Amino acid sequence: MEKYWKETKYTKLFDVVNHIFLITFTIMMLYPLWDQFVISITDTSYQTIGSAFLWPEKVTLDAYKELFSDTKMLRGLGVSVLRVVVGTASTLFCTGLLAYVTTIKQFKGRTFLRRVYIFTMYFSGGLIPFYLLMISLKLNNTFWIYILPGLCSAYYMLLIASYIQNIPASLFEAARIDGCHELGIYVRLVLPICKPVFAAIAVYLAVGHWNSWFDVLIYNPSGVWDTLQVYLRRILLEAEAFSRIQNVSQAEAAARAISGENLKAATTMAVTVPILIVYPFFQKYFISGITIGAVKE
């Protein structure tokens, strides 16, 4: 009885400490986002440069109106969304198909193919040769420069292949006996069963495409296919450059800095919130797989 009471006591203490830690950690993670949101809707006359905010003094949506009234910004938003959708879907399909090919035991070249892709994880030609290759293929200043180079990922191939190998081989044998070809097996059998791993990888791919901006600067010098993140970077650079101009009066610089902070916070929210909405739709696939019990012997 005494031992049970001690175990219950320490268990409750652990639960309390664990809850306090998780609540504190959650607040630390959410507060910067909340601070940016408050700054974005707070009137500039109530703002002080460098101060933190818990609640807006005077709510205004001028920053968001100015942000979304810019046609270039809206076009950048559309390019970012299109890149996330097309890039994520195409990479998942092609990488998953490659992973399935490397798990087919009847395919004699699967070991060599896997080793070739693993080799690319550790060795690459570098940025300059890759840039020259994209120029020679005439992919610069096109939308496909964001999609084609990343169609197959060696790392995600290994993750998906490991998941496929846990699927009972009798499922694939039954499908082949029924006359289903390999592509049909991949589409009708592998894709539905591997939803958990595909969903997890989809989140990583979507976040990577959404936050990417360096490749846009390198391969899109014309600015035709600029993404939303590039416009955010330009806003940050313009606000910083304006604050360094010596001929601007102190009052004008302060007013412009405050207005710049307001606009930068609104842009940050516009960039961050959409990708946060994606996670809840994929969360259920992270918890449990669906291959358990697929075949009963």
Side-chain angles (χ1 to χ4, degrees):
M1 185 68 181
E2 181 179 356
K3 181 179 179 181
Y4 174 77
W5 182 83
K6 288 182 179 180
E7 290 179 353
T8 306
K9 177 182 177 181
Y10 289 123
T11 301
K12 291 182 179 179
L13 179 61
F14 173 78
D15 291 340
V16 172
V17 174
N18 193 28
H19 280 79
I20 294 176
F21 171 77
L22 291 177
I23 293 174
T24 304
F25 184 78
T26 303
I27 294 175
M28 292 174 60
M29 295 296 102
L30 293 180
Y31 176 73
L33 185 63
W34 172 255
D35 180 67
Q36 290 296 304
F37 172 71
V38 173
I39 293 176
S40 67
I41 62 174
T42 300
D43 189 85
T44 55
S45 59
Y46 288 86
Q47 293 184 18
T48 304
I49 300 177
S51 61
F53 295 88
L54 294 177
W55 197 258
E57 296 291 339
K58 182 180 179 181
V59 177
T60 178
L61 300 178
D62 293 339
Y64 289 97
K65 292 179 181 178
E66 181 178 354
L67 184 65
F68 291 103
S69 63
D70 189 353
T71 56
K72 293 183 178 180
M73 188 73 69
L74 294 177
R75 175 178 172 79
L77 176 61
V79 173
S80 293
V81 173
L82 183 63
R83 175 176 180 175
V84 169
V85 174
V86 177
T88 302
S90 59
T91 301
L92 278 179
F93 184 85
C94 294
T95 303
L97 183 59
L98 176 64
Y100 172 64
V101 170
T102 59
T103 59
I104 300 177
K105 295 181 179 180
Q106 294 82 356
F107 177 51
K108 296 182 180 180
R110 64 189 183 94
T111 302
F112 173 76
L113 184 62
R114 178 176 293 193
R115 289 177 179 176
V116 169
Y117 273 89
I118 293 177
F119 179 83
T120 62
M121 293 177 60
Y122 300 98
F123 303 97
S124 65
L127 179 60
I128 295 178
F130 185 78
Y131 175 79
L132 295 177
L133 176 62
M134 295 299 104
I135 295 297
S136 62
L137 295 176
K138 297 182 180 180
L139 291 177
N140 59 313
N141 292 320
T142 64
F143 174 76
W144 300 109
I145 189 63
Y146 307 144
I147 308 300
L148 296 182
L151 278 181
C152 294
S153 170
Y155 176 69
Y156 293 141
M157 177 203 71
L158 295 177
L159 294 181
I160 298 175
S162 299
Y163 198 94
I164 295 176
Q165 288 175 346
N166 293 325
I167 302 176
S170 55
L171 284 177
F172 301 111
E173 294 174 0
R176 294 187 181 100
I177 292 175
D178 290 339
C180 187
H181 51 80
E182 298 299 333
L183 184 59
I185 294 175
Y186 173 69
V187 174
R188 300 178 183 179
L189 188 63
V190 175
L191 289 181
I193 293 180
C194 294
K195 278 184 179 179
V197 67
F198 275 104
I201 295 175
V203 174
Y204 290 114
L205 289 173
V207 172
H209 279 292
W210 182 261
N211 292 332
S212 182
W213 60 272
F214 184 68
D215 57 345
V216 181
L217 296 179
I218 296 178
Y219 304 113
N220 184 45
S222 65
V224 177
W225 295 101
D226 281 349
T227 59
L228 184 63
Q229 287 67 26
V230 173
Y231 289 107
L232 171 61
R233 179 177 178 273
R234 289 175 183 172
I235 291 175
L236 298 176
L237 294 178
E238 290 175 359
E240 183 179 357
F242 187 86
S243 62
R244 294 181 178 179
I245 299 177
Q246 298 179 356
N247 297 328
V248 179
S249 63
Q250 185 176 1
E252 184 179 1
R256 176 56 185 266
I258 294 174
S259 178
E261 290 294 327
N262 195 266
L263 187 59
K264 286 189 292 184
T267 309
T268 302
M269 295 302 301
V271 171
T272 306
V273 170
I275 202 63
L276 291 178
I277 300 176
V278 174
Y279 179 77
F281 295 97
F282 295 89
Q283 184 180 7
K284 61 180 180 179
Y285 295 112
F286 295 143
I287 300 174
S288 60
I290 57 176
T291 59
I292 300 178
V295 174
K296 296 185 181 296
E297 300 181 356

